[in-house]
Amino acid sequence: MISRLAGFDIFRVSDDCEPDIRIITDRIIETGCPVKIRHLHSYNALRIDHYFSALDGGYLFEMRREDDGEPTATLTHQASTNEVVMSPCDCEISLKFAVCVAYSLIAVGRGILPVHSSAIVKARNSVLFLGESGTGKRTHTRLLRC
C-alpha cells in the first residue's frame, strides 16, 4: 500500500534488516472495543476530521470524512514498540498523512521532534513555515522562490 506512494520508496529496508519503524498496513482496527480511550485533540483539514486519542499504553489516530463520518484511515501505536498498525486506506492524501503521523508517533517516543513545515533557504538565511495541513505553507514557499 505505501509502496505505491511516490517518494516513499527510499524508506524501505530489506527483509533481513530490522527497521527502526515498522508500519503494518491493511489491518482492521476496531475503535468501539472496551478499551479506555481519552480524546486529546481534533481538527478539520481538507474536509477530513482528524481525531487523536490516548489509549492504555499508546495512541489512536483516526481520519474521517466530514460529510459522512466514514473513516479514511485509522492507526494505533503502543508506546513500547516500534510498530504502528494502520487500517486499509484507498485515499492517497489520507495515506500520506497517516504515514507521517505513524512516523511521528514513534519518533516522539525516541526524543525526536518531527515538524510539519515548509522551508526556503537563500544566502545562508532561512524561513520556516509551520502550520496545520492546508494552511498554505508549500504555496508560500513556492511563491518566494520566484
Side-chain angles (χ1 to χ4, degrees):
M1 178 168 90
I2 296 170
S3 62
R4 296 184 312 220
L5 298 176
F8 281 75
D9 54 337
I10 63 169
F11 298 105
R12 181 177 295 282
V13 296
S14 65
D15 291 338
D16 60 343
C17 178
E18 180 61 30
D20 291 328
I21 295 172
R22 182 178 311 227
I23 301 173
I24 302 168
T25 59
D26 294 329
R27 298 296 195 274
I28 301 302
I29 298 173
E30 296 292 333
T31 57
C33 59
V35 174
K36 185 177 177 183
I37 298 174
R38 184 170 52 96
H39 178 74
L40 299 174
H41 181 66
S42 59
Y43 64 95
N44 183 290
L46 303 173
R47 297 189 348 230
I48 301 286
D49 293 320
H50 300 75
Y51 302 96
F52 187 67
S53 305
L55 301 172
D56 292 332
Y59 298 97
L60 169 69
F61 181 74
E62 298 177 281
M63 296 167 59
R64 296 181 174 273
R65 289 191 292 266
E66 72 178 4
D67 57 351
D68 61 9
E70 285 297 310
T72 61
T74 302
L75 52 94
T76 61
H77 169 61
Q78 290 299 310
S80 60
T81 71
N82 71 338
E83 296 180 343
V84 172
V85 178
M86 186 183 304
S87 67
C89 181
D90 60 2
C91 172
E92 187 173 312
I93 293 172
S94 292
L95 180 57
K96 287 179 179 180
F97 190 74
V99 169
C100 291
V101 170
Y103 169 78
S104 296
L105 288 171
I106 295 172
V108 167
R110 295 180 176 192
I112 299 168
L113 177 63
V115 178
H116 182 78
S117 65
S118 182
I120 189 164
V121 178
K122 184 172 183 176
R124 298 178 48 113
N125 293 306
S126 62
V127 176
L128 185 68
F129 295 94
L130 302 171
E132 291 187 3
S133 295
T135 58
K137 296 175 298 297
R138 196 171 44 195
T139 300
H140 281 84
T141 301
R142 197 171 29 248
L143 289 172
L144 287 171
R145 287 182 22 203
C146 298

